[in-house]
């Protein structure tokens, strides 16, 4: 261990500690007092429900824990987007769980809540995962109804997806464990089976106050839409449960009987740990963003037996491609190399930049993995494509388009881990969110932006100075320029933070680097539920 390694390790540990502190606050939802109120009502909190539902001592990965982070401050915030979503095991079956947090605005739906629910359904549909809804929600957050109600990717899309998943044969189970009102009432009833908790669960299109105002009928909510009404009179729900634990146990009993379906057939061998300690990754990422490092060392700490069968090792060296295994699963890795390297012509190439030869190599490797039915893992630390006259004359745009085309049309599942930089077109070519990775996660060291902070800040400063001059301010002092640059840089860096991205669900999670193997392994296991039926066709790609 050297001084630089220790310095890097300390910096990463600080980033992880910051992440864990933020998560501790998020896990409290609307606060301890509101959790205690739920307990007084005989209800479990949202995370207690999930803990009881999933298999003991089994893995659970949470999607979108940072959703809504630092957003909606004018409305008191919306920690975790007001809904907890994750992938775990129920009666040994991998499932996705969607659970409203009634401590956050009574489980009301903010715009990010809708986006997060749609992401859960997308994961279920792509991977043919059973989905379990634990419903406890007051419905749409009315002050923001225009941002959640009418558009294509808003609230109503959820019920459309319920219907589509049903037609696809994807199992949906719902538990009504609290309020379930208005349009939200359709979600559990459009599921395959629905259970309701006696006395605490209720479901109706309009509550007692609205019924009184609309038609003059006086009735209490329990008689209107409680468990007895819907299990014994209307037949709307299928199971009447005495309390939360009884309800969750029934779900476990149902999942225990579910049959098995064909798989995609991705190859899995016996799990072997890396030869290098996974925690070594903490010391491998430089403490400064512009320092080079060898991505092969990261890969060695990540893959089984530290074995990496590298493809075209001496060609296109700013992208590493090769075959490995992660927890036994076969995987093709496409990773940005951050070392400064020499090209085949003897020219120096900047690490983290995509050149024509590296784009060409990666495109060919992606095609090979599709032919062999091997899932793809993208490890991003990319500043973009090489610019300048030599690159343009060498056809960088064409070679970049080849890579984007090969990656976009991939029919094997793709997974993306953003380790460091994720800038501009490099984000796209390395399977950013727009390119449908089955899961996309970031390390706490990640940054996501159209370009690096210093370049962007200087560009924005030039624009701001030009605007001031056009308004008649001819003299701008050095002090004024320095102050403006500082303000611009601060704002831009806030927007490049992984937390800014995670709050808006540009990534599914910010994770401890040591958990990367778990996320990739569970992701491939999830994807293996969905047979690959579409042939691989790269369309206009020219080789």
């Amino acid at each position: 261990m050297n001084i630089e390694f220790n310095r890097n390790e300390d910096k990463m540990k600080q980033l992880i500690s910051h992440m864990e502190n933020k998560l501790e606050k998020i896990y409290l939802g609307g606060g301890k007092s509101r959790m205690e109120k739920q307990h007084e009502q005989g209800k479990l909190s949202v995370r207690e429900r999930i803990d009881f539902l999933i298999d003991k001592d089994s893995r659970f990965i949470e999607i979108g824990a940072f959703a809504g982070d630092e957003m909606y401050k004018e409305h008191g915030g919306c920690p975790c987007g007001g809904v907890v979503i994750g992938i775990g095991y129920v009666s040994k079956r991998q499932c996705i769980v969607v659970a409203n947090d009634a401590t956050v605005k009574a489980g009301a739906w903010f715009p990010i809540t809708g986006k997060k629910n749609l992401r859960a359904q997308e994961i279920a549909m792509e991977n043919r995962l059973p989905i379990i809804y634990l419903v406890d929600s007051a419905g749409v957050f009315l002050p923001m109804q225009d941002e959640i109600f009418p558009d294509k990717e808003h609230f109503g899309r959820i019920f459309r997806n319920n219907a589509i998943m049903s037609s696809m044969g994807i199992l949906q189970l719902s538990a009504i464990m609290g309020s379930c009102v208005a349009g939200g009432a359709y979600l559990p009833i459009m599921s395959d089976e629905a259970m309701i908790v006696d006395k605490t669960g209720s479901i109706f299109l309009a509550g007692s106050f609205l019924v009184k105002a609309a038609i003059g009928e006086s009735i209490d909510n329990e008689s209107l839409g409680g468990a007895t009404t819907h299990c014994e009179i209307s037949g709307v729900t299928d199971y009447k449960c005495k309390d939360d634990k009884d309800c969750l146990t029934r779900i476990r009993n149902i999942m225990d009987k579910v049959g098995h379906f064909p798989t995609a057939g991705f190859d899995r061998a016996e799990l072997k740990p890396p030869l290098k300690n996974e925690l070594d990754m903490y010391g491998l990422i430089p403490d400064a963003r512009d320092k080079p490092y060898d991505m092969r060392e990261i890969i060695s700490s990540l893959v089984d037996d530290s074995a990496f069968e590298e493809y075209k090792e001496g060609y296109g060296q700013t992208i590493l491609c090769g075959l490995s295994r992660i927890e036994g699963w076969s995987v093709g890795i496409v990773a940005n190399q951050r070392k400064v390297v020499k090209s085949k012509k003897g020219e120096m190439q900047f690490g983290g930049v995509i050149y024509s030869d590296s784009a060409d190599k990666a495109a060919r490797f992606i095609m090979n993995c599709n032919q062999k039915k091997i899932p793809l893992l993208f490890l991003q630390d990319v500043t973009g494509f090489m610019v300048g006259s030599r690159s343009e004359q060498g056809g960088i745009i064409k070679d970049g388009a080849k890579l984007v085309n090969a990656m976009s049309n991939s029919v094997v599942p793709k997974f993306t881990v953003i380790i460091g930089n994720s800038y501009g077109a490099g984000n796209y070519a390395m399977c950013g969110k727009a390119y449908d990775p089955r899961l996309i996660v970031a390390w706490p060291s990640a940054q996501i932006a159209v370009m690096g902070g210093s370049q962007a800040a200087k560009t924005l400063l030039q624009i701001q100075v030009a605007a001031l001059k056009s308004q008649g301010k001819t003299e701008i002092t050095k002090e004024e320029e320095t102050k403006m640059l500082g303000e611009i840089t601060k704002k831009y860096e806030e927007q490049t933070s992984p937390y800014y991205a995670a709050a808006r669900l540009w990534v599914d999670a910010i994770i401890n680097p040591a958990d990367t193997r778990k996320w990739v392994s569970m992701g491939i296991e999830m994807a293996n539920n969905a047979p690959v039926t579409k042939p691989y066709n790269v369309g206009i790609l020219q080789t």
Side-chain angles (χ1 to χ4, degrees):
M1 298 292 179
N2 55 38
I3 293 174
E4 186 175 357
F5 183 97
N6 292 336
R7 186 167 57 241
N8 295 343
E9 184 179 45
D10 288 345
K11 178 66 179 293
M12 181 60 78
K13 285 182 176 178
Q14 288 171 14
L15 292 172
I16 293 168
S17 177
H18 176 65
M19 176 189 74
E20 290 174 344
N21 288 337
K22 285 178 73 71
L23 283 172
E24 279 185 21
K25 295 177 182 176
I26 286 168
Y27 291 162
L28 293 175
K32 291 183 179 179
S33 62
R34 290 180 182 172
M35 286 187 193
E36 289 168 2
K37 188 174 180 181
Q38 279 197 287
H39 291 158
E40 290 168 7
Q41 295 170 344
K43 297 162 68 173
L44 300 174
S45 70
V46 63
R47 293 182 184 277
E48 288 170 341
R49 287 170 175 170
I50 292 173
D51 287 344
F52 189 89
L53 176 66
I54 62 174
D55 297 347
K56 302 306 175 195
D57 301 320
S58 67
R59 286 176 162 182
F60 182 79
I61 54 177
E62 185 169 344
I63 306 293
F66 290 101
D69 183 49
E70 298 296 320
M71 296 169 66
Y72 313 119
K73 290 182 179 179
E74 68 277 21
H75 298 294
C78 185
C80 206
V83 61
V84 180
I85 290 172
I87 300 164
Y89 300 87
V90 179
S91 297
K92 300 181 181 179
R93 300 296 293 268
Q94 199 178 40
C95 305
I96 188 158
V97 181
V98 179
N100 299 115
D101 186 352
T103 70
V104 179
K105 293 288 191 297
W109 289 59
F110 283 70
I112 197 66
T113 317
K115 186 174 183 179
K116 190 170 172 179
N117 274 265
L118 289 172
R119 176 61 178 143
Q121 290 183 322
E122 179 183 42
I123 291 170
M125 287 189 282
E126 284 182 330
N127 302 287
R128 303 189 71 88
L129 272 189
I131 186 165
I132 298 169
Y133 305 100
L134 307 182
V135 184
D136 194 345
S137 171
V140 168
F141 184 62
L142 288 177
M144 303 189 75
Q145 64 85 27
D146 60 321
E147 297 181 46
I148 182 63
F149 171 65
D151 209 348
K152 180 178 178 180
E153 298 297 329
H154 282 179
F155 193 58
R157 187 78 170 181
I158 291 165
F159 315 132
R160 173 262 188 195
N161 287 349
N162 287 141
I164 297 297
M165 282 191 281
S166 182
S167 71
M168 294 172 66
I170 297 170
L171 178 62
Q172 300 173 83
L173 300 177
S174 285
I176 302 158
M177 310 184 80
S179 297
C180 187
V181 300
Y186 285 103
L187 185 147
I189 306 311
M190 292 189 72
S191 299
D192 298 295
E193 291 182 272
M195 45 221 76
I196 184 169
V197 179
D198 194 22
K199 300 296 185 279
T200 56
S202 59
I203 179 168
F204 34 64
L205 295 181
S208 55
F209 292 119
L210 184 54
V211 168
K212 177 68 173 176
I215 64 172
E217 181 183 3
S218 296
I219 188 169
D220 62 272
N221 281 338
E222 182 65 25
S223 301
L224 184 65
T228 299
T229 296
H230 286 311
C231 286
E232 300 176 19
I233 300 173
S234 72
V236 165
T237 52
D238 305 305
Y239 303 93
K240 182 178 180 180
C241 309
K242 65 181 182 181
D243 55 26
D244 280 9
K245 289 184 178 180
D246 181 43
C247 185
L248 297 167
T249 299
R250 285 173 183 264
I251 294 174
R252 291 183 53 79
N253 290 341
I254 291 169
M255 289 304 305
D256 181 57
K257 313 298 188 301
V258 175
H260 295 267
F261 297 89
T263 66
F266 301 131
D267 187 65
R268 191 175 198 184
E270 182 183 353
L271 181 158
K272 294 180 181 178
L275 296 180
K276 292 188 175 182
N277 190 329
E278 288 179 68
L279 297 180
D280 282 352
M281 288 188 281
Y282 292 178
L284 297 175
I285 299 296
D287 62 342
R289 195 159 294 280
D290 56 352
K291 289 183 180 178
Y293 63 93
D294 191 348
M295 183 63 83
R296 288 188 183 89
E297 294 185 358
I298 299 289
I299 293 170
S300 292
S301 299
L302 183 62
V303 302
D304 288 12
D305 214 24
S306 298
F308 181 55
E309 199 71 36
E310 190 164 350
Y311 174 76
K312 289 184 181 288
E313 181 179 350
Y315 178 72
Q317 295 179 73
T318 63
I319 290 184
L320 305 178
C321 299
L323 301 177
S324 288
R325 291 187 183 274
I326 292 180
E327 294 199 349
W329 291 106
S330 174
V331 63
I333 295 174
V334 181
N336 301 111
Q337 173 61 295
R338 284 303 309 271
K339 280 175 58 178
V340 177
V341 297
K342 277 189 178 181
S343 74
K344 59 182 181 292
K345 298 177 182 177
E347 300 163 345
M348 299 307 293
Q349 294 186 340
F350 297 104
V353 178
I354 301 175
Y355 290 79
S356 285
D357 54 358
S358 49
D360 174 68
K361 177 175 82 171
R364 292 172 183 271
F365 179 73
I366 289 167
M367 288 188 281
N368 289 348
C369 286
N370 274 271
Q371 184 183 42
K372 297 170 184 171
K373 200 192 283 190
I374 298 174
L376 288 160
L377 171 62
F378 293 82
L379 302 178
Q380 283 197 16
D381 193 344
V382 58
T383 54
F385 284 85
M386 190 59 191
V387 296
S389 60
R390 180 175 293 181
S391 292
E392 298 293 358
Q393 291 167 12
I396 185 67
I397 294 176
K398 180 186 69 175
D399 290 320
K402 287 180 184 178
L403 172 55
V404 172
N405 203 324
M407 181 271 300
S408 299
N409 285 297
S410 178
V411 296
V412 295
K414 300 169 291 193
F415 302 88
T416 302
V417 179
I418 303 174
I419 289 174
N421 303 319
S422 180
Y423 296 156
N427 169 282
Y428 297 164
M430 292 293 293
C431 196
K433 182 65 183 289
Y435 294 85
D436 297 324
R438 299 293 177 97
L439 292 172
I440 177 169
V441 298
W443 287 5
S445 49
Q447 279 194 353
I448 303 168
V450 73
M451 65 175 71
S454 60
Q455 304 101 302
K458 289 172 184 175
T459 302
L460 290 167
L461 176 64
Q462 290 171 4
I463 294 170
Q464 193 165 321
V465 168
L468 288 171
K469 286 181 178 179
S470 70
Q471 294 166 14
K473 185 174 174 58
T474 55
E475 291 290 332
I476 297 173
T477 66
K478 188 69 176 175
E479 290 76 16
E480 287 176 320
E481 198 170 290
T482 301
K483 182 181 178 184
M484 283 192 291
L485 181 61
E487 291 171 349
I488 290 168
T489 301
K490 183 182 180 212
K491 183 177 180 182
Y492 192 83
E493 287 179 350
E494 286 173 357
Q495 293 180 352
T496 64
S497 158
Y499 298 101
Y500 191 91
R504 290 153 183 81
L505 291 174
W506 300 347
V507 295
D508 292 317
I510 303 172
I511 67 168
N512 186 323
D515 288 333
T516 305
R517 278 170 56 85
K518 175 177 75 173
W519 274 80
V520 175
S521 175
M522 286 185 66
I524 298 175
E525 180 185 354
M526 168 184 81
N528 198 41
N529 288 300
V532 178
T533 56
K534 182 182 175 184
Y536 184 54
N537 187 336
V538 292
I540 62 170
L541 178 62
Q542 297 176 353
T543 58

